[in-house]
Amino acid sequence: MAILLSFISAMKLSDWARQQGISDITAWRWFRAGKLPVPARPLPAGTIWVEAPHPEGIPVRYARVSSADQKEDLERQVQRLQAFAQEQGWTEVKAVTEIGFGLNGKRKKLLRILRDPQVVRI
């Protein structure tokens, strides 16, 4: 099980516009013209989703398998996560791997990552 979560501030274009002190129409025009200063994408329902810039911090690649005999699967997950991180332009991504049954919720390494305030992206 590979986790690719991106902890970012994401919101509707209209909410972002209000935060920036500009009108919804201006933000929509900027989006249509490709001049919006932040990444944004349309959702299937037509809503435009804006992603605020990531705060500085540590990104982490987390991969987990259920048992020790799945170590090859774990390595494949780690490689896929590394490729994804490179595609996104993320540098110096920390890798965390864990072997353990997922249903009991005792994922010590994942819980440690989630508690770490320096981690901005998993």
Side-chain angles (χ1 to χ4, degrees):
M1 172 183 132
I3 294 183
L4 290 173
L5 299 176
S6 187
F7 291 101
I8 55 176
S9 301
M11 63 189 77
K12 293 184 349 183
L13 180 64
S14 58
D15 295 335
W16 177 84
R18 278 187 222 105
Q19 278 188 353
Q20 303 304 310
I22 60 174
S23 74
D24 297 359
I25 299 297
T26 300
W28 183 77
R29 287 180 183 148
W30 287 357
F31 174 75
R32 261 189 44 200
K35 295 182 180 181
L36 205 60
V38 292
R41 60 187 164 89
L43 298 177
T47 303
I48 298 171
W49 202 244
V50 175
E51 297 177 357
H54 298 287
E56 292 301 317
I58 303 168
V60 175
R61 293 179 288 140
Y62 175 79
R64 181 191 61 80
V65 293
S66 297
S67 62
D69 62 337
Q70 295 176 310
K71 284 190 178 186
E72 290 178 12
D73 294 337
L74 186 62
E75 276 305 310
R76 278 194 295 275
Q77 285 183 33
V78 169
Q79 290 170 359
R80 282 195 341 249
L81 290 170
Q82 178 61 31
F84 178 80
Q86 288 174 344
E87 288 171 10
Q88 300 300 312
W90 302 338
T91 58
E92 298 185 30
V93 180
K94 180 180 174 183
V96 176
T97 60
E98 192 163 36
I99 297 174
F101 191 59
L103 294 178
N104 63 11
K106 294 180 181 178
R107 301 178 199 158
K108 291 179 183 180
K109 292 181 180 181
L110 177 60
L111 294 173
R112 191 176 311 132
I113 292 168
L114 292 173
R115 283 190 216 108
D116 188 347
Q118 295 295 316
V119 175
V120 294
R121 186 179 304 130
I122 300 176

